[in-house]
Amino acid sequence: RWRQVDIGDAQDADGFGTGAAIGDFNRDGLLELCIARGESKVQPLSMYQVPFNQNNWLRVFPITRAGAPARGAIVTIEANGRLQKRVIDGGSGYLCQMEPVAHFGLGEVDSVRLVSIDFPDGYTHILEEDVPVNQQLDVAHPLAL
C-alpha cells in the first residue's frame, strides 16, 4: 500500500517541477538540492540545504587526459573496512545533470585508506596512503601526470 508522507520544507505549492540536481554548490561538503521549473511558464529555481553537521566527507573528481570530467569512471574508496563506489555518469535525470564528482559521506570516519579510480579507457589511478577527509581530490588521468 502506498501512503502520502509530509515532505515538510520541500513542499512547493506553486511550483511545477521539471528537473532536480544534487551537488555541493557552495563547496562546504554538504549536498544541496536545486529544483528547476518552467517547462510551461517562467518560474524561479528552488535551492534546499541541510543543516551543517560534523559528519566527514570526501569528494573525488576524476579528470581525463584532455582535462574534461572522466564520465564513466568508477571511483572506489575503502574507509573503516568498508567499500563505497560511485560512477561518474553523463546525466541522471530529465532536463538535469548531476555534477561529475563522486561524493562520499563518511560519518565519523576521519581518514580513507584507499581511493581507486578506474578510468573508462582501462587505466587506474590508486591512492593507498591515508587520505585526509573533508576535501575534494581532483585526480588526473595516469597518462596526464
Side-chain angles (χ1 to χ4, degrees):
R1 286 190 93 186
W2 292 96
R3 67 179 178 86
Q4 187 172 2
V5 296
D6 179 12
I7 60 172
D9 290 341
Q11 177 68 40
D12 273 340
D14 298 326
F16 298 99
T18 50
I22 297 169
D24 185 8
F25 300 110
N26 61 4
R27 299 204 174 253
D28 65 355
L30 300 172
L31 297 176
E32 289 84 39
L33 169 65
C34 180
I35 298 177
R37 304 179 179 77
E39 191 169 305
S40 59
K41 66 178 186 175
V42 176
Q43 291 189 299
L45 296 173
S46 291
M47 181 76 76
Y48 298 95
Q49 297 177 308
V50 297
F52 183 78
N53 60 60
Q54 298 298 317
N55 292 333
N56 293 318
W57 49 275
L58 181 68
R59 294 169 54 81
V60 181
F61 177 45
I63 304 167
T64 67
R65 287 189 284 182
R71 308 249 186 237
I74 300 170
V75 181
T76 305
I77 68 165
E78 181 184 333
N80 203 25
R82 189 173 152 222
L83 292 176
Q84 294 187 53
K85 287 186 181 223
R86 304 283 185 275
V87 176
I88 307 301
D89 65 7
S92 38
Y94 174 68
L95 296 177
C96 64
Q97 182 173 336
M98 305 308 165
E99 60 182 345
V101 177
H103 182 99
F104 298 94
L106 300 172
E108 296 179 2
V109 174
D110 59 5
S111 71
V112 172
R113 191 190 78 72
L114 171 91
V115 176
S116 174
I117 300 101
D118 295 317
F119 288 86
D121 61 2
Y123 285 90
T124 299
H125 186 122
I126 297 175
L127 302 168
E128 292 189 272
E129 67 274 2
D130 284 334
V131 177
V133 298
N134 301 334
Q135 67 167 324
Q136 178 171 310
L137 297 173
D138 296 349
V139 180
H141 188 282
L143 297 182
L145 298 174

